[in-house]
Amino acid sequence: MMRALRITSIIILLAAGCKSVDKPVPVEDTEARIARVLTGLRGPVQVQGAPPATMALADRMARHRVPGVSVAVIDGGRIVWARGFGVKEAGSADSVTAETLFQAASISKPVAATAMLRLVQEGRLSLDENVNTYLKSWQLPDNAFTAAEKVTLRRIASHSAGLTVHGFPGYHADSAVPTVVQVLDGARPANTAPVRADTVPGSLFRYSGGGTTVMQLVLMDVSGESFAELMRRTVLEPAGMSRSTYEQPLPEPRATEAARGHRSDGTLLPGRWHTYPEQAAAGLWTTPRDLATWALAIDAARRGEAGAILSQATAAEMLTVQKGMAGIGPFIEGTGNAQHFGHGGANEGFRAQVLFFPATGQGAAVMSNSDSGDNLNQELLYAIGAEYGWPGYGPKTVAVVALDSLALARVAGDYLLTYQKEQIPLTASVADGRVVVVSPPLGTDTLVATSPTSFISLTRGAQFDFAIFETSVATEVTVTLGPGFTLSGKRR
């Protein structure tokens, strides 16, 4: 369930920008800007009329129990700085640097889609052909859902293929690791369900790491190469992502280069990190600088630069919304100068985000080594956006209203939320004039009122809307975690 909820961070999107600026930025100016970023972290919600509540990176790392974080910033169409902070492993003195490897998690998907699009350009694949045409080592079972509409690479890469399996937990260092075919069939030692079509392809957006794993096998079957080698040859090396690899497990000689994963309480993930045979969906080891390099490579293609990794037409298609907010690989959000593309990632013990604004040539990548890194990453991105003036990007501004104790008491109670087929308990209570909500997967949060029935978390930005009818107390609640991601339920 936690993996499903973490997708809220995965939809923080990215973009690509302008041509590089040749004029060097004075070192003292860069250092001053870095210093302002490191003391300018801010939460997802800003109270109207109040000055921005800023925080220091070191304080927020301690608060979120994130041992290490790494950052790369793009401005004027080029990477202007990259730094690491904290340590690779809690309690150690092994510092994170700009060269430290992190698991990119689901950011693996748009990078993998880049390789798929290169094979499309070469005429070896079609975006709109039934994937079973290309699969040799396995076939996606047909059923009533695929009778008329087929699973295609366009639909897989835009999460509209109707395929199951949201994400993957990976495999502990001591666990047996399944083959890709075993993953797709849910056969031992795979720890996830079979990947199957259970919705008509093309009918709706639904995030599916399982679909991306089908794409992985297509690429392997068509190329005859291992996935890691295919990615090195077609994307990582041509794009200049010199530190990156899709090798799973990470080769032991490179283990000293990598950050270790941690749980939300700050403890080390047993075995340091998990192995992901679902390489296209979650297997990329990389750095923020390399992720920023990928974004710039896609932008160079978008602008039609000679020698770019994709053709201009292919890049334009990649960055065109297909379904929901999904392009062919990246997510796209915003309009005009504020439009940006990118992706987020959540593996066991790691969190990552990358985003890029094509109109202004700005963006950033942030990677951290903790299950609680989502909030820290976002707070840091808001600080970068504020310092560099990203268009239309920043905390949500809300007007807070004061409610009396009777109005607050109306929403207090126990609720049972539903997410897909799972039920999630949530308890709302009143303390010090505010509503406190507690839920096992969501944690504990304090809310402020924006109306008699609407509340928002200042630390996470989650929206809570209560329905109050003739009973004079709330009978239902809807929790909005992000665009298109809601939980709803009734009072128990």
Side-chain angles (χ1 to χ4, degrees), residues 296-305 308-316:
L296 288 169
I298 298 304
D299 185 57
R302 180 192 66 84
R303 291 184 282 102
E305 189 173 295
I309 194 168
L310 297 173
S311 71
Q312 189 170 25
T314 300

Side-chain angles (χ1 to χ4, degrees), residues 9 25 52 99 124-125 127 164 201 206 233 289 328 368 451:
S9 67
V25 178
E99 305 305 311
R124 301 174 71 182
L125 295 172
L127 283 172
T164 57
R206 187 180 64 190
R233 180 179 63 80
R289 189 195 300 273
I328 302 178
S368 53
S451 82

Side-chain angles (χ1 to χ4, degrees), residues 72-127:
V73 174
I74 304 168
D75 195 46
R78 63 189 183 88
I79 299 170
V80 291
W81 60 271
R83 297 280 176 89
F85 306 93
V87 292
K88 295 176 184 174
E89 181 177 329
S92 77
D94 193 3
S95 298
V96 169
T97 72
E99 305 305 311
T100 299
L101 294 175
F102 289 77
Q103 288 191 348
S106 287
I107 301 176
S108 306
K109 294 178 175 69
V111 180
T114 310
M116 181 268 288
L117 289 170
R118 293 203 67 176
L119 295 190
V120 170
Q121 283 185 176
E122 294 171 7
R124 301 174 71 182
L125 295 172
S126 167
L127 283 172

